[in-house]
Each structure stands twice: as C-alpha cells, then as structure tokens.
Amino acid sequence: METLTSLPVSTVIILGTHLGTLPVAHWFSRYNSSEKSLWLSKHRVAALLGLATILICYQWSALQLILQWLISYTLLHTVPKHQLGKISFVILYGHVIVVNAFKFIYKYGDISLDYTGSMMLGTMRLTSLAFSIQDSTKPEEKLTELQKQRVMKQDITLEKHFCYCFSFIGILFGPFIFYEDHEKYMNKKSSEFNANNYKATLTLLQGVLALIIVIVALPHYPVEKNFAYKVGSPVSR
C-alpha cells in the first residue's frame, strides 16, 4: 500500500477512514432512534462510531483522547462551576502541551497525521463547554451576546458529554463546533434536514479535489525537506 501511494500507511488508513465516514454520515442524518431501539440513541451511535474511528486510526494512542475525556468529565463534577472554565483550560491545555513536548523530544521529525490533532480539537470543545457552564454562574448583564447564546444552565449527562467529545462527525479533522450547535444537530429528526444537493455535492467535490492534490503533490514535495538535517544524522556545518 505504501509503495502504491507513496504515502505512509498510517496516513492512508486515516484518509481512508475519513472517506468512509461520508456514506456513514449520510445514513446517520436519516437515522432516528425509536422506543424499540432506545439503547441505540443517536448520541450513542455517533459516539461509538467515533470511538471505533480513533481506535482504527490511532490504535493505542487513542487512550490519550479517552484520558482527555475522563479528565474533563472528572473536572465537571469536582470543580466549582464558577472556576470550571479556567481550571479546565489550564489542565486540558497542559495535557496537550505535555503530549506535544514528549513527541518533540522522542519523536522529532515524525510528521505523520496522528492523535495530537484530534486532541487539540477535543481540548477546544471541552474547554468551550467548561466556560459555557462557568458563564451560568455570572449575572446575565455581565455576559456578552455570544455568551448568552452559549451559556449552559442545565446539567450535561454522561452520554451527551461522551458524544460531544467522540462523535465521529469531526473526530479526526474537525471542524470545531459548540456544544449547543452539536445538540441541535443531534436532536434533529431525518425529516427536518433540508436537502441541498447542490451545496452537498460542491462541498464533496472540493474535499475530493483537496485530497487528490495532497496524494499527488506530497510524494514530490515531502515535508522532510523542511528539516535542516535528517533526524539522527550529524549537523552539517
């Protein structure tokens, strides 16, 4: 596979998995959990698909993402709400910094797509959620218009928190989405989705074009050229 594509196997797996989510997302937008399949709610289906995605792509490194979620959920139930945003910001971003520092020291020059991108997306999501909960403790007159729209006054369940962190829609490459917008999408029924085939097709073609450019151009312009010297070799003077 690596010979045929001139791309690392890990990159091919991630890109292939990402492409595979397209038909799954189409099916998911029309999926409605009924009372007969209450266990398979949309939140659980999205979270399980996302969990399977990161396990396939990142293997054991996916444990870092699970640890990130556990840290966030623990803070949610142990830290006072009026301090939740700031403390979550420090701890979650500290976790990302430690992971990236480890990679810089022990895996310098490794430019393959890896779990740190998904970690950064997760940190943005979970930190924004923490600040939305913290804003619920402030007087309304002290909130900006954006804060008033995003403020979280109700408690978040384990299922919804897990889904927000691991939903297969955007778990690999994003985009970042606020919790409120995520819930609006998850609570929509299939009949409420407005079909716009033109925009959907155009977006899909743009993504395919970008993918083709990467596959064709990357072997001819390897990222390793950006390094002054190969890792492990003496520095030329």
Side-chain angles (χ1 to χ4, degrees):
M1 184 181 296
E2 188 170 354
T3 304
L4 293 175
T5 63
S6 299
L7 293 173
V9 175
S10 59
T11 303
V12 175
I13 292 175
I14 291 177
L15 292 176
T17 305
H18 193 59
L19 287 174
T21 60
L22 291 174
V24 176
H26 178 76
W27 164 81
F28 184 76
S29 66
R30 287 157 175 75
Y31 175 77
N32 287 323
S33 56
S34 61
E35 294 181 358
K36 295 181 179 180
S37 59
L38 188 60
W39 190 88
L40 291 177
S41 65
K42 293 190 73 171
H43 288 84
R44 292 180 183 178
V45 170
L48 290 174
L49 288 173
L51 194 60
T53 298
I54 61 173
L55 287 174
I56 292 172
C57 294
Y58 305 141
Q59 300 176 7
W60 286 107
S61 297
L63 291 176
Q64 290 287 357
L65 298 173
I66 297 175
L67 175 61
Q68 180 187 57
W69 168 75
L70 285 173
I71 292 173
S72 174
Y73 194 74
T74 301
L75 293 174
L76 190 65
H77 291 277
T78 56
V79 175
K81 286 186 177 181
H82 67 279
Q83 297 178 338
L84 181 61
K86 296 177 182 178
I87 294 178
S88 295
F89 175 84
V90 172
I91 294 179
L92 292 175
Y93 272 93
H95 182 205
V96 174
I97 291 172
V98 169
V99 169
N100 279 279
F102 176 86
K103 284 178 60 63
F104 181 80
I105 295 172
Y106 296 102
K107 295 185 178 181
Y108 181 73
D110 182 6
I111 45 79
S112 61
L113 297 171
D114 65 0
Y115 62 94
T116 54
S118 295
M119 274 193 71
M120 194 63 227
L121 282 167
T123 301
M124 293 168 62
R125 291 185 181 187
L126 296 173
T127 303
S128 70
L129 174 62
F131 274 105
S132 295
I133 296 174
Q134 178 177 300
D135 288 340
S136 66
T137 63
K138 299 178 181 179
E140 187 172 350
E141 58 270 14
K142 291 187 177 181
L143 300 178
T144 65
E145 289 301 320
L146 180 60
Q147 287 176 315
K148 291 178 182 179
Q149 296 174 11
R150 306 299 182 189
V151 65
M152 274 281 298
K153 295 183 179 180
Q154 71 276 17
D155 293 332
I156 181 172
T157 64
L158 172 65
E159 178 181 288
K160 292 183 178 181
H161 189 273
F162 189 79
C163 178
Y164 181 55
C165 187
F166 291 106
S167 175
F168 76 99
I169 304 173
I171 185 65
L172 293 180
F173 304 119
F176 164 78
I177 183 173
F178 286 103
Y179 176 78
E180 180 189 12
D181 297 329
H182 175 264
E183 279 302 296
K184 286 180 180 178
Y185 175 81
M186 295 300 298
N187 292 326
K188 276 187 177 181
K189 297 185 180 297
S190 60
S191 58
E192 297 175 346
F193 283 93
N194 296 322
N196 193 326
N197 294 328
Y198 173 76
K199 286 187 177 180
T201 303
L202 182 61
T203 302
L204 178 61
L205 291 177
Q206 289 173 343
V208 172
L209 178 61
L211 180 61
I212 292 174
I213 292 174
V214 170
I215 293 176
V216 173
L218 188 59
H220 300 286
Y221 302 96
V223 182
E224 287 85 351
K225 288 185 178 180
N226 294 327
F227 295 97
Y229 61 95
K230 292 184 178 180
V231 178
S233 63
V235 180
S236 58
R237 298 183 182 274

